[in-house]
Amino acid sequence: MFRSRSKEEKAPTGKVTADLSKQPRDPEAPKGRPTPKRSEAQTQRRRAQSAPLDRKAAMRRQREARRADLAKQREALAGGDERYLPVRDKGPVRRFVRDFVDSRFCVAEFFLPLAVVILVLSMVRVPQLQNIAMLLWLGVIVMIVIDSIGLWIRLKKQLNERFPNEPKRGAVAYGLMRTLQMRRLRLPKPQVKRGERP
């Protein structure tokens, strides 16, 4: 009686192990990977040993490295050093766009000072001055739109002529955004004078 029951119990467990062996092994399971080479294992051990035990010290080092990178980036933005510029400002296409915009007068760069003047005029309680402020506001917006369309067309044409095989995605929009900044406040700093050919 006991023997028959034990035989019955052993039979299903054998089936389960057989079923498990037939299932495909997960490729990301740790035992499914090949043994690493000695050189790889040694480099992993060295990395683990060189990792600082003190988390505060590690965080401090990371902050200092980040500050140093940001300082280099600021210097690059001021001087135009290509090596440390942010990704959005790197490359010959972006440099040409900056020089193209910086070499000419744009109505959009005077938007902020004009907006302050118009705002002051509109706050005065004289109806005639408020009407003048509204007309000025409309005139400034129309001039900025016309100037931006002209710049868009000229810049696109120049980019297609000078950089036919380079990726130019977002370059024209980059130039238009640069026109909205006053020349003195632009980063990276302008490298060409007004009227100079880029």
Side-chain angles (χ1 to χ4, degrees):
M1 185 174 176
F2 289 111
R3 284 185 185 177
S4 62
R5 199 180 267 179
S6 63
K7 283 179 186 176
E8 284 173 12
E9 284 176 5
K10 282 181 184 175
T13 53
K15 287 178 186 175
V16 170
T17 53
D19 290 343
L20 286 173
S21 64
K22 287 177 187 175
Q23 288 180 352
R25 187 181 183 95
D26 185 12
E28 299 206 9
K31 289 192 178 177
R33 295 181 187 153
T35 305
K37 292 181 183 176
R38 181 178 287 182
S39 59
E40 291 172 356
Q42 284 174 347
T43 53
Q44 285 176 353
R45 262 189 247 117
R46 276 192 212 113
R47 278 188 206 144
Q49 287 170 359
S50 66
L53 298 173
D54 188 13
R55 286 182 66 194
K56 286 184 180 178
M59 292 295 284
R60 197 178 307 118
R61 276 195 217 112
Q62 279 183 346
R63 272 198 303 271
E64 286 168 7
R66 203 175 307 124
R67 276 195 202 115
D69 288 344
L70 286 172
K72 280 181 185 175
Q73 218 171 61
R74 257 184 257 115
E75 286 172 22
L77 286 169
D81 188 1
E82 283 279 331
R83 292 173 299 168
Y84 302 111
L85 283 175
V87 178
R88 71 183 171 91
D89 297 315
K90 277 186 180 176
V93 174
R94 296 297 168 109
R95 184 177 180 90
F96 174 76
V97 169
R98 287 196 301 273
D99 291 346
F100 187 86
V101 169
D102 295 336
S103 66
R104 61 198 56 213
F105 279 101
C106 296
V107 180
E109 70 183 277
F110 303 108
F111 173 72
L112 283 176
L114 286 170
V116 171
V117 170
I118 292 167
L119 188 66
V120 169
L121 284 174
S122 65
M123 291 176 83
V124 177
R125 297 280 181 185
V126 179
Q128 292 167 338
L129 281 176
Q130 287 180 337
N131 290 339
I132 290 169
M134 283 301 294
L135 287 172
L136 273 172
W137 192 247
L138 286 170
V140 166
I141 289 172
V142 168
M143 284 194 303
I144 287 173
V145 168
I146 291 170
D147 189 43
S148 296
I149 290 170
L151 183 80
W152 180 286
I153 293 165
R154 287 193 304 270
L155 184 56
K156 203 160 193 174
K157 185 180 174 187
Q158 288 285 324
L159 284 171
N160 288 332
E161 284 175 12
R162 292 202 184 201
F163 306 100
N165 301 324
E166 295 272 337
K168 297 175 282 292
R169 188 175 175 203
V172 178
Y174 174 76
L176 290 176
M177 288 303 294
R178 192 165 173 86
T179 62
L180 289 169
Q181 300 165 339
M182 291 172 72
R183 187 181 167 86
R184 262 185 256 156
L185 304 176
R186 288 176 186 166
L187 288 174
K189 296 276 185 195
Q191 303 293 315
V192 293
K193 293 177 182 176
R194 289 193 199 271
E196 196 177 316
R197 280 181 69 83

